[in-house]
Amino acid sequence: VHGESISSTLESHPPQAVLYALAFLAPMGSEAQLSHEASLCLRGFVQDYTSDRPLLLRVEYVDGLKKKYALLRGPGAEGSAQEHLLKNGLGRIQSKWISGPKSNDPIWRDTVSSLHRIQEKTRVERLNIWQYGEVVSDDEE
């Protein structure tokens, strides 16, 4: 609406949305096609849930810049978004999470270990990002 200012009562309300990054996984690189496939894969995972079957969000870590990293999980033992991406060869574990800030926490260790097993299986099968062998970022070296 042109020429009208936002009401001062609306301006005083803090933003209602919160941005989360997927914990444990490295961001997709410049591979546009794989990045698009990962986005579609994640969308498919999220769309499988309804108000009767909600997704659960567990914040794993908040960095010094207040960026929140979370594990997105289905109810029960249905798996996580991270597992879904790894099973489809559309993600990889970022090395900083293996010995991350909570690496002494047994739940953290179990999560990383489980994700690592899935990644190794996908790597051996050479799915998507693993199709040409090892994928290592210069930033992680």
Side-chain angles (χ1 to χ4, degrees):
V1 178
H2 293 291
E4 292 184 31
S5 64
I6 297 176
S7 158
S8 62
T9 57
L10 290 177
E11 288 177 346
S12 65
H13 289 285
Q16 300 301 308
V18 177
L19 179 64
Y20 293 91
L22 288 177
F24 305 110
L25 299 186
M28 290 300 287
S30 60
E31 296 288 328
Q33 180 61 32
L34 286 176
S35 183
H36 178 71
E37 287 180 37
S39 175
L40 291 175
C41 183
L42 188 57
R43 182 179 299 154
F45 176 83
V46 170
Q47 287 176 344
D48 284 344
Y49 296 92
T50 64
S51 59
D52 296 337
R53 294 173 12 106
L55 283 168
L56 307 172
L57 182 98
R58 184 174 78 205
V59 175
E60 297 291 342
Y61 178 66
V62 179
D63 69 13
L65 300 173
K66 305 285 189 218
K67 184 174 182 179
K68 296 178 181 182
Y69 295 88
L71 184 74
L72 189 59
R73 177 171 290 288
E78 295 181 31
S80 68
Q82 285 86 334
E83 291 170 347
H84 192 66
L85 288 168
L86 289 173
K87 284 177 185 174
N88 287 285
L90 295 169
R92 67 180 174 86
I93 299 170
Q94 192 168 15
S95 61
K96 75 176 184 178
W97 294 101
I98 295 171
S99 58
K102 294 170 36 179
S103 58
N104 291 328
D105 177 355
I107 294 173
W108 176 282
R109 282 195 315 262
D110 289 348
T111 301
V112 171
S113 178
S114 173
L115 293 173
H116 196 267
R117 280 192 301 275
I118 294 167
Q119 177 176 285
E120 283 305 301
K121 183 178 186 296
T122 307
R123 187 183 63 78
V124 168
E125 293 171 357
R126 293 191 178 267
L127 293 176
N128 289 315
I129 66 171
W130 304 105
Q131 66 185 327
Y132 301 114
E134 294 299 314
V135 178
V136 179
S137 167
D138 293 336
D139 295 339
E140 291 191 29
E141 290 285 319

